[in-house]
């Protein structure tokens, strides 16, 4: 299996953040394993213009390069509308590439975003702030990690990795999903899902009847959110809509930040990395750098930001942009230096819990924290 390779300066920067996490929690993380772990677990090929996972393609058109991800059934269903045909083309990617060449990357990205598709235009995220910090409420003495109740509302890789780091530090982490819309990686290779979610309590929530979920968020010390900001707000579950414990930290991971239309843009790790400019720049044009690189880097930076916020007394909303994190790291990628291998196969000692396996446990824990009956 080809090893995942990243610029040495990017790996060194990620390792600095894991060392900060270690200083705050005594949990020692291997940045190379976090970056290359999925690829090593699943035996993925080296990326080129096609991502290692196979769902994202880098394409050239007038105005530069862009990356489109088609990883969900709904994404494929939207392709005919995207390129103006009656049915899904076969072969798929040549038809899409031809359309990008015809309309240019800016028009293509605008059309994709109107359809809710994950797309990134190379370098559009440069200058974005990776972590924005907003005052949210009263500060409190920093709790020890083992006293934390963390509610993980995120899915896929970046947010769940942040939650896994906090679980490794001893926090009680509740992974919230819905039976109607579970984490998309739950239906994929079990080894990857287990790697980022083992050790968490599993809670099956009904988002259309959010009373119990509201109580859980009220009881939490940390909330990790990975949806677009409006998704929870429509249900009255946004960070400013749910009262919280003093010092609660709310980490909101988005694809492109929250400003204007960007707050509605969908992103996955590979297209977000392209948006941030974090690519291998070769003589023949850019190629993907590593495997969905914006995901593990964002997970690392989100965990660091949460722990540092708790050290300040919390009471903060952290907006963590995947494209912004990628853009921040892209500056290091431009530094001269060798590439490093990130091919360690992670140890996955236990399986993640079945969906909803701990509903009763979680509700008793919430009742005890709030001092109310279950």
């Amino acid at each position: 299996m080809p090893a995942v390779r990243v610029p040495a300066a990017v790996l060194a920067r990620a390792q600095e953040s894991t060392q900060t996490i270690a200083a705050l929690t005594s949990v020692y993380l291997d940045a190379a394993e976090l970056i290359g772990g999925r690829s090593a677990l699943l035996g993925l090929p080296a990326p080129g213009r096609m991502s290692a996972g196979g769902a994202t393609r880098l394409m050239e058109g007038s105005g530069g390069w862009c990356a489109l991800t088609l990883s969900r059934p709904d994404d494929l269903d939207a392709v005919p509308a995207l390129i103006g045909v009656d049915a899904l083309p076969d072969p798929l990617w040549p038809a899409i590439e031809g359309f990008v060449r015809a309309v240019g990357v800016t028009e293509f990205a605008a059309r994709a975003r109107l359809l809710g598709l994950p797309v990134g235009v190379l370098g559009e995220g440069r200058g974005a702030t990776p972590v924005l910090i907003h005052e949210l409420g009263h500060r409190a003495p920093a709790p020890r990690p083992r006293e934390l109740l963390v509610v993980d509302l995120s899915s896929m890789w970046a947010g769940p990795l942040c939650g896994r780091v906090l679980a490794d530090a001893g926090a009680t982490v509740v992974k919230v999903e819905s039976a109607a819309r579970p984490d998309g990686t739950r239906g994929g290779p079990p080894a990857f899902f287990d790697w980022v979610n083992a050790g968490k309590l599993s809670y099956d929530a009904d988002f259309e009847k959010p009373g119990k979920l509201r109580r859980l968020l009220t009881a939490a010390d940390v909330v990790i959110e990975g949806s677009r900001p409006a998704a929870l707000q429509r249900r009255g579950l946004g960070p400013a809509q749910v009262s919280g414990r003093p010092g609660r930290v709310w980490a909101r991971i988005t694809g492109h930040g929250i400003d204007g239309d960007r707050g509605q843009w969908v992103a996955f790790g590979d297209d977000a990395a392209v948006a941030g400019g974090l690519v291998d720049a070769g003589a023949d044009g850019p190629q993907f750098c590593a495997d969905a690189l914006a995901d593990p880097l964002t997970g690392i930076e989100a965990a660091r930001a949460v722990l540092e916020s708790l050290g300040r007394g919390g009471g903060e909303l952290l907006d963590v942009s995947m494209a912004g994190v990628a853009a921040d790291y892209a500056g290091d990628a431009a530094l001269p230096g060798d590439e490093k291998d990130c091919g360690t196969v992670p140890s996955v000692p236990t399986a993640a819990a079945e969906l909803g396996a701990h509903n009763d446990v979680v509700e008793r824990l919430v009742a005890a924290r709030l001092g109310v009956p279950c």
Side-chain angles (χ1 to χ4, degrees):
M1 181 196 70
V4 171
R5 297 181 64 79
V6 297
V10 169
L11 182 58
R13 168 81 173 276
Q15 198 64 50
E16 286 178 7
S17 286
T18 61
Q19 289 168 354
T20 298
I21 291 170
L24 294 169
T25 65
S26 298
V27 171
Y28 296 90
L29 304 167
D30 182 350
E33 178 184 294
L34 297 178
I35 290 169
R38 185 178 80 152
S39 187
L41 274 174
L42 305 185
L44 300 180
R49 296 275 164 73
M50 181 68 80
S51 65
T56 311
R57 179 71 68 102
L58 253 171
M59 299 172 289
E60 186 179 18
S62 61
W65 292 79
C66 65
L68 175 71
T69 300
L70 299 175
S71 62
R72 305 166 296 184
D74 288 350
D75 297 334
L76 288 171
D77 290 344
V79 168
L82 173 66
I83 64 174
V85 296
D86 293 331
L88 194 68
D90 183 16
L92 175 67
W93 284 109
I96 299 173
E97 289 173 321
F99 189 76
V100 173
R101 289 193 296 271
V103 303
V105 297
T106 301
E107 172 64 20
F108 179 78
R111 289 174 65 102
R113 284 166 177 153
L114 284 174
L115 294 167
L117 293 171
V119 65
V121 175
L122 180 59
E124 67 182 342
R126 291 194 180 107
T129 303
V131 182
L132 282 171
I133 301 172
H134 315 273
E135 293 291 330
L136 191 59
H138 298 297
R139 297 187 183 274
R144 293 178 299 175
R146 292 187 180 277
E147 297 171 344
L148 293 174
L149 174 61
V150 179
V151 176
D152 181 2
L153 300 171
S154 65
S155 61
M156 307 306 286
W157 192 352
L161 175 57
C162 175
R164 199 208 87 180
V165 170
L166 298 175
D168 288 347
T172 298
V173 180
V174 179
K175 181 172 180 60
V176 177
E177 300 171 80
S178 163
R181 294 184 68 87
D183 185 332
T185 58
R186 186 178 279 278
F192 175 66
F193 184 81
D194 293 343
W195 179 46
V196 292
N197 291 297
K200 302 177 185 178
L201 302 178
S202 178
Y203 189 77
D204 180 2
D206 184 348
F207 283 82
E208 302 309 318
K209 299 178 181 178
K212 289 183 178 180
L213 181 54
R214 177 182 290 273
R215 294 209 316 172
L216 176 57
L217 295 174
T218 300
D221 299 295
V222 176
V223 177
I224 304 167
E225 174 194 347
S227 56
R228 285 173 285 180
L232 289 181
Q233 292 172 4
R234 285 196 300 267
R235 296 175 171 87
L237 296 172
Q241 296 169 305
V242 179
S243 60
R245 293 163 65 87
R248 183 181 65 189
V249 175
W250 193 295
R252 183 165 57 195
I253 297 173
T254 64
H256 296 268
I258 60 169
D259 292 338
D261 291 340
R262 289 175 179 264
Q264 299 304 313
W265 293 359
V266 181
F268 288 91
D270 285 301
D271 54 83
V274 169
L278 188 53
V279 296
D280 284 331
D284 297 327
Q287 296 186 349
F288 290 108
C289 182
D291 170 32
L293 187 52
D295 268 314
L297 295 181
T298 299
I300 292 168
E301 296 305 322
R304 174 178 177 168
V306 166
L307 291 164
E308 290 178 336
S309 177
L310 289 167
R312 293 190 292 269
E316 294 177 337
L317 167 61
L318 311 174
D319 274 313
V320 187
S321 161
M322 293 174 65
V325 169
D328 204 36
Y329 272 85
D332 293 315
L335 298 174
D338 297 330
E339 289 190 331
K340 297 291 186 180
D341 289 345
C342 299
T344 304
V345 179
S347 173
V348 186
T350 59
E354 294 295 323
L355 177 58
H358 300 108
N359 274 39
D360 290 344
V361 173
V362 171
E363 287 169 14
R364 287 196 297 270
L365 176 60
V366 169
R369 280 201 153 211
L370 298 181
V372 298
C374 289

